Amino acid sequence: MTARPTAHGSPQDEHVVVCALGSAPLTDAPLDEEDALALARVLAALADPVRLRLVSIVAAHGEVCSCDLEIPLARSQPTISHHTRVLAEAGVLVGEKRGRWTWWQVVPERLTELRRILGG
Amino acid sequence: MTARPTAHGSPQDEHVVVCALGSAPLTDAPLDEEDALALARVLAALADPVRLRLVSIVAAHGEVCSCDLEIPLARSQPTISHHTRVLAEAGVLVGEKRGRWTWWQVVPERLTELRRILGG
DNA sequence: TTTGGATATCGACGTCCGTCAATAGGAGAG
DNA sequence: CTCTCCTATTGACGGACGTCGATATCCAAA
């Protein structure tokens, strides 16, 4: 897997193509297919009630470990892991492994990009 | 269908529950399940490359009729009709029937709501 | 009224997604 | 090393979604 070692080994440094979302606001000019696909992928990651609540919980706490998400979201551990993975691949979350725990943070710049493309 | 007659008969005046999206920004406080579901529905409507390009085309022209969408989106007429319906039910588009044609416009307030909830 | 064109609905098909049980991988404690 | 706990992956199942052909509905022009 050609793991590139980092400070504490961020688990989604590899295999994650967080595309730049650099298109103009969609209210300004028609999106081409490539930009539309990239934007749709990020929106799809957020278009799930469990993932939205997950993001809001992480944002509210600043940093949250996976084990603290099972109870408030009422989902099994594999399902939580699935959702954090989807959000990380969309660039909305970043995770850092510390000891046995994985700590998740939101990426505010990603949400800023979204707000910009949504037509300001 | 108990059609309520309007000025020129807006086709999605009926059966469309455009919920208010009145929750606080998701970066401020955890979303409850109801708000998360409402937000997820709107995001899901936008989380499709064809619908994103559709919205951007309508926004760029200010007003567009369905028949002008088949060619640029390269989709069949039923598919276009399906997508406009989904976007209208999400409150992103409004349609007005004039003669034989349906003219679509974006609802800028809806995008503003989205930007607000996405954390500003 | 009849005809033609624009839009909406229906039914079907293939694919993708959310979910969980079972299992594997990893890291600290003893 | 072994044990235990936390996280990730796999495989499977049911439901939702995008798409199109066929059909229905609606409106205006002739």
Side-chain angles (χ1 to χ4, degrees), chain B residues 76-100:
Chain B
S76 71
Q77 178 271 319
T79 299
I80 300 294
S81 183
H82 165 69
H83 286 313
T84 52
R85 174 201 245 279
V86 169
L87 287 166
E89 286 178 344
V92 178
L93 252 51
V94 282
E96 185 183 357
K97 293 204 81 167
R98 289 205 286 268
R100 285 182 294 215

Side-chain angles (χ1 to χ4, degrees), chain B residues 21-39:
Chain B
L21 246 51
S23 67
L26 58 79
T27 49
D28 290 8
L31 270 57
D32 61 56
E33 301 190 25
E34 189 183 1
D35 289 337
L37 190 60
L39 179 53

Side-chain angles (χ1 to χ4, degrees), chain A residues 52-111:
Chain A
L52 283 174
R53 296 180 60 217
L54 196 160
V55 169
S56 70
I57 290 173
V58 172
H61 291 77
E63 202 176 35
V64 160
C65 96
S66 302
C67 56
D68 291 328
L69 291 168
E70 284 184 50
I71 305 297
L73 294 177
R75 292 297 185 282
S76 70
Q77 178 271 320
T79 299
I80 299 295
S81 183
H82 166 69
H83 286 313
T84 52
R85 174 200 245 275
V86 169
L87 288 166
E89 286 177 345
V92 179
L93 253 49
V94 282
E96 184 182 357
K97 293 204 79 166
R98 290 205 288 267
R100 283 183 293 209
W101 295 272
T102 304
W103 293 88
W104 298 98
Q105 285 182 248
V106 304
V107 181
E109 298 80 15
R110 199 60 166 175
L111 299 179

